[in-house]
Amino acid sequence: MRVLSGIQPSGKLHLGNYFGAMRQHIKLQNEHNAIYFIADYHALTSIRDKNALKRHVLDVALDYLALGLNPDKTIFFKQSDVPQVTELAWILSTITPMGLLERCHSYKDKIARGLLPCHGIFAYPVLMAADILIYQSELVPVGKDQKQHIEVTRDIAIKFNNIYGKAFKIPDEFTVAGCEVVPGVDGQKMSKSYNNTIGMFEAEKIIKKKVMGIITDSKAVEEAKDPQQSHLFALYALFADKQEKSDMAQKFRAGGLGYGQVKKELFQKIMEYFAPYRTKRQELENNLDYAEQVLADGAKRAQEIAQASMYKVKQAVGIM
Ligand code: ADP
Ligand code: TRP
């Protein structure tokens, strides 16, 4: 099965990206034909500093490779290295009903978070549909917040196939139950735009500071606490096995447990979990040519698939 996903290089990646998306991406590469890309055309809707964009693209590449993305199994590339995707986005936009885009939550959410309203943000689900359809993707692993965009993609693909004959596969989304939304240090969804993230590859002392600063209620040590109401517990649970989770839940309910103690354990768990990946990332950082070569090879392989799709699409619409 062809699996595809993209991630925006719009800032440092964090635990939400990892548990909500990247971990699944890396797992799926062993069972499927995986294609993953760094969505730099998308990131232009929020980043207007060329050096920052370049640095974020490189960081995403290093993060993925450090976390186990295997370029022998996976096609890994930068979105803009296959510019045909913007050509397809235009063609798809000519059959995309306005109402479909007007119903998308992401536009209003992004404007509410302070992004400047622009056509790119409004039309972004069409570019995302092109990303998915041009590679004839069958399964798209994403976090829950992206589910609506996969539905839009399906609608656009069905409409295109109905008008012009079958050019595209109809993709399914893939979201993993249990860790749909990773909370940030303030209890809201962890997100680059909320200033509440913990990054896997940040300096140890920054991670420590952030973990020790996780906001909690003001219950005293001796009071009983409800683990289900605690985002500190939810973060701990990401790293704990079944037994550790139930022991910790038990300690919450029994009282006598201070939040400071839980934070210390969480910090240790984060550092332990990511230690081998942090070492690997440092090695990659010392040899940037390798990551650049991986992206260049990936772009070549992606282009072959994209070109075949565009040939079909152009023939179908009559601009060959
Ligand atoms: P951000 O909100 O930090 O800008 P993105 O929108 O770039 O993150 O998301 C990249 C991927 O990571 C998407 O598939 C998204 O669903 C997933 N993701 C982001 N934040 C979280 C979170 N807090 N919990 C679960 N998944 C997340
Ligand atoms: N929109 C996704 C996000 O913000 C990134 C993305 C762009 C993507 N194109 C995609 C994800 C295609 C899956 C498939 O996280």
Side-chain angles (χ1 to χ4, degrees), residues 4-18:
L4 170 129
S5 197
I7 201 149
Q8 290 202 44
S10 50
K12 280 206 186 316
L13 300 183
H14 52 74
L15 298 181
N17 298 133
Y18 178 69

Side-chain angles (χ1 to χ4, degrees), residues 7 131 229:
I7 201 149
D131 289 329
Q229 298 298 319

